[in-house]
């Protein structure tokens, strides 16, 4: 790592620590690896930090100090000023290691958003009027589902689109610097698809009557016994994640969970990554097959969006082992997760009737660059997964979860305002 002579050694150590998150990871770094990144000896690191926990604490302080600087400019209410939020998004776009670091923490620590609020409150940041204390925040989250859904919707969307721009750049699909991407993204989230598109646009929402919504929800419901039994290795993987978090997943621990020899797992998979990819691909392929079957009934793209969201909700309700694995589903951007080449034997290969109709390029909603509508379809698929994780963590019952999905759908169409 090239040394910056304008920075102290302590700052260089923190820069090096964040550099481990330039790509999404579920493997923590060691002090030896950190020293090698900085270009100093391992004992030199300990002259500035007592140990790895001290490094992690300093990293957190840097992240939350940066966030507090931006959020403090919002005048006590996130909705009162969109410009500071756009500036914070620009910061994340320019420094992807920070948002990857955040996602690592979210996937590794239950109720991490509570820790975020605690840290921001400690820095005298008021996120919105009425939420001035942590006690108020917890009470509001418990009593007002809209708050949690809004928090999930905005946070997940920011993460998704920051990562989308990064990935599209790497793929050469965004060749010029997006114009006003962060500002436009904030406007889009506030306004929703309806106000961000025009009548006649492929993505412009069509009205769905209440009776039609009930028909579509019934279509998306998944009865008992419809799904094949969950793969026992997949269930074991989920249990290991619950116990040790994603960073602690090893083949040995999965084998222990199955009460089998580690060597036996290697009869099925070459390594841990290949095992996770194949198991997840099989599960996603099964979900996609059900979405494809249901989407045949969609009269327009709005109904297809509705079917996608509610089918995902029903599927995750019936597949509890997917919940702890969702961090992998949301964070890893390896194309092999999306190719879904390895399909489960139980999955039919029914073609999605909307795939060929999705435009290769759209300009509305205006995100500062031309992009495929598939980007937004992917976004629609991620939102209910992220919300389901948070609703499950909060112990919401099925009725409250359904209410949360209703609120999420309204935000997508009409914005958070």
């Amino acid at each position: 790592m090239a040394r910056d002579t304008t920075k102290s050694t302590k700052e260089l150590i923190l820069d090096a620590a964040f550099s481990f998150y330039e790509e999404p990871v579920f493997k923590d770094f060691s002090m030896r690896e950190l020293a090698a990144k900085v270009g100093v000896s391992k004992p030199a690191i300990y002259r500035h930090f007592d140990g790895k926990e001290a490094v992690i604490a300093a990293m957190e302080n840097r992240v939350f100090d940066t966030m507090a600087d931006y959020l403090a400019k919002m005048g006590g209410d996130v909705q009162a000023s969109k410009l500071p939020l756009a500036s914070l998004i620009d910061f994340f776009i320019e420094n992807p290691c920070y948002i990857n670091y955040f996602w690592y923490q979210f996937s590794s620590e239950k109720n991490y958003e509570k820790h975020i609020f605690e840290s921001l409150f400690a820095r005298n940041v008021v996120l919105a009027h009425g939420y001035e204390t942590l006690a108020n925040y917890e009470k509001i989250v418990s009593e007002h589902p809209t708050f949690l859904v809004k928090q999930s919707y905005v946070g997940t969307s920011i993460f998704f689109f920051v990562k989308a721009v990064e990935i599209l750049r790497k793929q050469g699909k965004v060749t010029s610097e997006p114009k006003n991407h962060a500002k436009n993204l904030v406007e889009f989230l506030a306004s929703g698809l309806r106000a961000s598109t025009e009548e006649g646009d492929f993505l412009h929402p069509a009205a769905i009557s209440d009776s039609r919504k009930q028909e579509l929800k019934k279509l998306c419901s998944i009865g008992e016994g419809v799904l094949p039994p969950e793969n026992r290795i997949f269930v074991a993987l989920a249990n290991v994640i619950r116990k040790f978090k994603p960073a602690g997943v090893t083949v040995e621990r999965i084998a222990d969970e199955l009460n089998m020899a580690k060597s036996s797992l290697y009869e099925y998979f070459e390594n841990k990554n290949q095992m996770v990819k194949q198991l997840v691909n099989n599960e996603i392929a099964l979900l996609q097959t059900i979405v494809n079957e249901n989407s045949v009934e969609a009269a327009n793209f709005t109904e297809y969006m509705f079917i996608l969201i509610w089918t995902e909700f029903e599927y995750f309700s019936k597949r509890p082992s997917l919940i702890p694995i969702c961090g992998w589903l949301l964070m890893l951007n390896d194309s092999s997760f999306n190719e879904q080449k390895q399909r489960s034997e139980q999955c039919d290969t029914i073609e999605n009737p909307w795939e060929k109709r999705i435009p290769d390029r759209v300009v509305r909603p205006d995100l500062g660059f031309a992009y495929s509508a598939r980007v937004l379809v992917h976004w629609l698929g991620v939102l209910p997964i992220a919300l389901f994780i948070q609703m499950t963590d909060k112990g919401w019952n099925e009725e409250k979860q359904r209410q949360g999905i209703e609120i999420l759908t309204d935000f997508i169409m009409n914005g958070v305002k």
Side-chain angles (χ1 to χ4, degrees):
M1 170 172 190
R3 293 184 66 89
D4 184 344
T5 56
T6 66
K7 292 185 176 182
S8 67
T9 302
K10 194 168 186 176
E11 287 299 303
L12 290 173
I13 292 171
L14 289 180
D15 288 345
F18 276 108
S19 73
F20 286 101
Y21 299 91
E22 288 176 356
E23 297 289 342
V25 293
F26 279 122
K27 176 184 177 298
D28 215 349
F29 61 85
S30 67
M31 294 294 272
R32 178 185 56 79
E33 291 171 324
L34 178 58
K37 278 260 189 180
V38 183
V40 298
S41 65
K42 185 176 174 181
I45 301 289
Y46 286 98
R47 285 199 289 271
H48 299 276
F49 296 96
D50 292 337
K52 186 173 177 181
E53 288 186 1
V55 175
I56 297 297
M59 292 172 70
E60 278 213 338
N61 284 333
R62 179 190 279 191
V63 170
F64 289 126
D65 286 346
T66 300
M67 287 186 66
D69 287 343
Y70 283 105
L71 296 176
K73 299 173 185 176
M74 294 185 181
D77 195 329
V78 171
Q79 296 300 319
S81 176
K82 298 173 183 175
L83 184 58
L85 181 56
S87 298
L88 180 59
I89 295 172
D90 276 329
F91 173 80
F92 281 133
I93 291 173
E94 294 167 7
N95 300 275
C97 57
Y98 283 80
I99 205 162
N100 287 336
Y101 166 83
F102 256 130
W103 205 250
Y104 176 86
Q105 301 303 329
F106 267 112
S107 66
S108 301
E109 184 179 328
K110 189 175 181 179
N111 292 327
Y112 186 69
E113 77 277 1
K114 178 182 176 182
H115 179 59
I116 293 176
F117 278 84
E118 285 177 329
S119 300
L120 293 176
F121 284 135
R123 289 164 172 78
N124 300 314
V125 174
V126 178
L127 295 176
H129 295 305
Y131 312 145
E132 285 83 358
T133 68
L134 184 62
N136 283 351
Y137 161 73
E138 291 179 325
K139 185 172 185 291
I140 289 166
V141 167
S142 174
E143 297 178 358
H144 301 281
T146 299
F147 182 83
L148 180 69
V149 180
K150 180 185 291 188
Q151 175 182 300
S152 176
Y153 173 70
V154 174
T156 302
S157 297
I158 289 173
F159 172 81
F160 175 86
F161 285 107
V162 167
K163 297 303 298 178
V165 171
E166 179 187 345
I167 293 168
L168 291 172
R169 278 175 170 164
K170 290 179 179 178
Q171 294 174 346
K173 296 178 180 178
V174 174
T175 56
S176 59
E177 190 68 24
K179 296 180 179 178
N180 300 319
H181 170 60
K183 177 176 176 292
N184 290 1
L185 174 57
V186 173
E187 291 289 347
F188 168 51
L189 296 179
S191 304
L193 280 170
R194 195 176 307 281
S196 301
T197 56
E198 296 179 1
E199 286 196 33
D201 287 353
F202 182 79
L203 296 170
H204 188 71
I208 307 178
S209 67
D210 290 341
S211 61
R212 179 57 175 164
K213 286 181 181 178
Q214 294 307 312
E215 289 177 9
L216 294 177
K217 288 180 187 178
K218 186 176 180 180
L219 169 72
C220 296
S221 64
I222 300 174
E224 295 297 330
V226 172
L227 298 178
E230 290 185 279
N231 182 294
R232 70 190 190 100
I233 302 177
F234 194 83
V235 174
L237 170 63
N239 289 337
V240 170
I241 294 174
R242 286 190 185 99
K243 293 176 183 178
F244 302 103
K245 305 304 179 186
V249 172
T250 64
V251 175
E252 289 86 353
R253 284 172 172 166
I254 296 170
D256 288 344
E257 191 71 27
L258 291 163
N259 293 316
M260 63 190 297
K262 173 184 171 182
S263 58
S264 299
L265 276 178
Y266 285 119
E267 294 178 10
Y268 302 96
F269 309 102
E270 294 178 6
N271 53 51
K272 181 184 73 174
N273 288 340
Q274 195 241 355
M275 175 177 62
V276 173
K277 290 176 183 179
Q278 182 170 327
L279 292 173
V280 169
N281 276 335
N282 287 345
E283 204 60 36
I284 294 300
L286 177 54
L287 170 59
Q288 187 61 55
T289 295
I290 298 172
V291 170
N292 291 351
E293 289 177 343
N294 292 344
S295 64
V296 172
E297 301 297 324
N300 50 53
F301 188 71
T302 305
E303 288 195 359
Y304 167 65
M305 291 190 289
F306 190 92
I307 287 170
L308 172 63
I309 291 168
W310 279 95
T311 301
E312 281 198 11
F313 170 72
E314 292 286 346
Y315 189 86
F316 276 78
S317 298
K318 299 296 188 296
R319 291 298 221 206
S321 293
L322 266 175
I323 304 306
I325 299 175
C326 282
W328 251 309
L329 298 178
L330 293 178
M331 184 173 179
L332 291 181
N333 60 14
D334 190 317
S335 62
S336 59
F337 272 85
N338 299 320
E339 291 169 358
Q340 299 178 18
K341 290 180 179 178
Q342 302 173 16
R343 289 183 172 270
S344 168
E345 292 179 0
Q346 293 85 2
C347 292
D348 298 322
T349 54
I350 297 173
E351 185 177 359
N352 188 316
W354 291 95
E355 276 297 309
K356 293 181 179 178
R357 304 186 201 182
I358 296 175
D360 288 334
R361 284 286 180 270
V362 293
V363 294
R364 287 186 295 265
D366 181 5
L367 298 179
F369 61 96
Y371 55 94
S372 167
R374 286 175 179 80
V375 172
L376 288 187
V377 173
H378 191 187
W379 168 67
L380 291 169
V382 165
L383 288 173
I385 298 174
L387 177 58
F388 202 94
I389 294 172
Q390 294 204 39
M391 293 190 299
T392 302
D393 285 345
K394 293 290 184 291
W396 286 14
N397 60 29
E398 184 176 347
E399 180 182 356
K400 200 169 181 181
Q401 288 176 355
R402 289 183 177 277
Q403 183 183 358
I405 296 296
E406 294 273 12
I407 296 168
L408 174 65
T409 306
D410 182 66
F411 284 162
I412 292 169
M413 300 301 174
N414 301 307
V416 296
K417 297 294 187 289

